[in-house]
Amino acid sequence: MRATYLLSLVHGTLGVVSAQLLEASTIDVIGNNSLFTRWRPVAHFIPPAGWMNDPCGSMYDPTRDIYHLFYQWHPNHVNWGNISWGHATSKDLITWEDVGGWHDQDAQALGTGPVGTYNGLGIFSGTAQPVNLHGKQDGTLLAFYTSVSYLPTSWSIPYHRGTESQSIAMSSNGGVTWHEHPGNPIITEVPGNWNITGWRDPFVEPWPAMDALLGQSEPQYYAVFGSGIKGVGPRIPFYSAPASNLTQWKFLGALWEPAYNISLGSVLETGSYGFNFEVSSFFSLEDSTGAQHCFVNMGSEGGNVSFHESAHWALWNEGVVTRRDNGSAQFNPVSGSAADWGLLYALTSFNDTKNNRRVQWGWAPEDEGDFSINQQGFQGCMALPRELFVHEVASVVNVDDSSTGPGSSHFVKNGDGTFTAYTLGVRPLADVVAGIRKGSKAVEFTIGACSSSKIAGKGTSHMELAATFSDFNGIAGLRVAASPGGEEYTNVYYDSSNHTLNVDRSHSSTVTEFANSTVVGYFRPYTLAASGIESIAMSVFLDGSLLEVYVNGRFALTTRIYPSREDSTNFGVYVEEGASVHVAEVVAWVGLRNVWPDRPLNSSSKLVFDTAAETNNYTWWSGN
């Protein structure tokens, strides 16, 4: 009744629209924002309204005991445009508060300057640190970002010199207000006179392990950018600045120099590097023995393959970092894979010094094309914050030494002939998961041996579902967002024949204009000396249209579904005809928490469409 009431209230001349079923013909004729709450996540980080893309400036401020997250934002619009930074804060990474308020552009922290200035056409992505310009913690906050003065820009078109520069903004009141550094931009020249594909998204952190490797005489901050050299390959340019003066940056060379459009190993397992990197980052993590493992994250552009439909791909690589003869550093990968196998992109991370962990954020765009986006009234949200860690498993056997190259794990041989497997671990933050379960209803089901699909219960469009599978004989997994009559459902299953985890969206919505392809990710269980093939522990978070899948602490996949029916909320186990599996347990948490308590559920803003004058006759950006 709520949806029926909202639709008829906003569009009283249309008449009553069924709350149970949306059809394409109905969507076509209803107005802007009328579907604002239909598929909107409530348990995730999301702007009040409008377009959102990259997470920016994530940090913990120890002076005030508060977390910050900024985001690329085009307020009052549903497509990319005049990009600024929005801002929200949290005491616990669970519930959030808009800085400045949620109405219209109230949450904007950094906005563009006049056209013709160094930041007149964009405040592009970047990072933040809770220090002053001399590297000291006195309550000052610094934001490092790419300032843009020329558009359009893309790896696939000629690069206009002067398009991008690097700048700093500062706050002395906990991020309530910001001002630009008077010396902006602080870096103006592209690295090494490269013929670049792009040069943006500064990732800035101290890196003590790098200080030691390079023999630095004083502590440094380091920066990497997304970049590439046309016709040569993507690049991660590497810079340093003394902590005592974070405006004096020195280009050290390329941290890493892969060739264009290649893969580290099998493309199914390790992904494609494409032609340009965006939102690159670096970090070191310790394993259980205290040994350091060095990682890079990057968004690859242009490496489109048949099973990964987007030309954007969030990847990670682990590598060995050595000192170059010229005193710089060189990264040589030993393993790698997708940081997320679905549509999550622009991943970044920060050192959560309060809890001694590395926390990752990523942007989940919509997957409905232009259909219904004005009626929805917003685009994009963040996935759940994730912990990154060194995932290690001992006593692995049957390691395939015949692969064509490095894979998603690297294996160290033990004295008894077994191996220890190392890879980048990823899991949603345990305290955040516990927080969004607060107030939900937990239901457990015991299933055991299973040779047919079973509906276990009725949920909501905001729920978590977890199950553990073993003894696969064919394709099996979970079924979510199923309608009582079987018209709609989404299957999340493992296929042991090709080591893939799949989200089959062919029946996710009866509205065929929405994306309905199967999303594919590579996952190969280890074989253990004592117990055989690993069980598969699968967690699925469904929050409105957002669907996240996590497996065994080392696999993540994010996608979107848009069921046409409000009663498409049943869940259970999916087993392909003729297959069988053992299901240890199924647990559901029904009714995830709203993490924006100070906002109304409908925080929509009137859509204001870009004009020819604002977009230089739609050459700077395409408008709405």
Side-chain angles (χ1 to χ4, degrees), residues 79-98:
N79 287 320
W80 192 94
N82 185 24
I83 294 299
S84 60
W85 279 22
H87 185 197
T89 58
S90 175
K91 296 293 289 185
D92 53 13
L93 294 174
I94 301 169
T95 60
W96 291 88
E97 181 179 353
D98 297 294

Side-chain angles (χ1 to χ4, degrees), residues 447-501:
I447 294 181
C450 189
S451 57
S452 62
S453 299
K454 302 178 185 296
I455 292 297
K458 181 176 178 59
T460 73
S461 56
H462 309 281
M463 63 179 294
E464 176 191 353
L465 185 61
T468 301
F469 301 90
S470 59
D471 300 328
F472 283 86
N473 178 23
I475 289 172
L478 291 171
R479 175 167 288 178
V480 299
S483 60
E487 302 89 348
E488 293 183 328
Y489 56 86
T490 299
N491 292 330
V492 183
Y493 65 84
Y494 180 66
D495 185 348
S496 59
S497 69
N498 57 12
H499 311 298
T500 60
L501 195 292

Side-chain angles (χ1 to χ4, degrees), residues 166-441:
Q166 314 307 325
S167 295
I168 291 177
M170 299 173 287
S171 176
S172 59
N173 57 7
V176 176
T177 58
W178 293 81
H179 62 277
E180 301 287 335
H181 183 262
N184 277 348
I186 58 168
I187 312 176
T188 58
E189 297 299 322
V190 301
N193 291 315
W194 297 350
N195 181 19
I196 59 172
T197 52
W199 176 52
R200 54 183 170 272
D201 315 327
F203 181 88
V204 177
E205 280 196 353
W207 196 357
M210 185 60 69
D211 285 348
L213 176 68
L214 300 185
Q216 299 284 13
S217 59
E218 61 176 306
Q220 302 283 306
Y221 275 63
Y222 296 90
V224 294
F225 298 82
S227 191
I229 301 176
K230 287 186 179 295
V232 179
R235 290 291 182 271
I236 298 183
F238 191 41
Y239 293 73
S240 68
S244 58
N245 188 347
L246 293 178
T247 67
Q248 298 297 312
W249 291 90
K250 177 183 178 182
F251 176 55
L252 301 178
L255 183 63
W256 183 28
E257 302 171 295
Y260 70 85
N261 207 29
I262 65 168
S263 299
L264 178 64
S266 161
V267 69
L268 176 62
E269 183 174 2
T270 63
S272 171
Y273 292 150
F275 298 87
N276 181 61
F277 286 159
E278 296 186 293
V279 285
S280 300
S281 61
F282 61 80
F283 49 91
S284 299
L285 299 171
E286 289 187 357
D287 64 23
S288 61
T289 69
Q292 293 279 335
H293 296 250
C294 294
F295 297 91
V296 294
N297 261 139
M298 59 284 189
S300 74
E301 287 195 293
N304 201 8
V305 298
S306 60
F307 69 92
H308 185 79
E309 295 176 329
S310 173
H312 291 90
W313 213 341
L315 304 176
W316 66 267
N317 275 192
E318 180 183 356
V320 176
V321 179
T322 57
R323 182 172 178 173
R324 296 180 187 265
D325 291 340
N326 65 0
S328 184
Q330 180 174 356
F331 178 86
N332 295 289
V334 297
S335 63
S337 194
D340 189 280
W341 286 99
L343 50 66
L344 202 71
Y345 191 64
L347 277 62
T348 189
S349 65
F350 73 101
N351 181 16
D352 178 7
T353 54
K354 183 177 182 178
N355 295 289
N356 190 29
R357 61 187 177 183
R358 177 147 299 265
V359 175
Q360 182 184 70
W361 288 102
W363 161 51
E366 304 295 328
D367 204 7
E368 55 193 341
D370 291 330
F371 184 76
S372 86
I373 195 61
N374 290 338
Q375 291 87 340
Q376 181 170 282
F378 66 90
Q379 280 227 46
C381 72
M382 305 299 181
L384 291 171
R386 300 169 176 179
E387 182 180 5
L388 302 179
F389 61 98
V390 178
H391 187 287
E392 49 189 309
V393 176
S395 300
V396 176
V397 296
N398 294 342
V399 173
D400 184 2
D401 292 322
S402 64
S403 71
T404 58
S408 55
S409 302
H410 75 272
F411 300 92
V412 176
K413 196 166 187 177
N414 302 316
D416 61 359
T418 67
F419 294 80
T420 298
Y422 296 91
T423 190
L424 180 61
V426 58
R427 58 196 173 205
L429 294 182
D431 47 330
V432 171
V433 171
I436 65 174
R437 287 175 181 168
K438 185 177 180 181
S440 66
K441 180 182 178 182

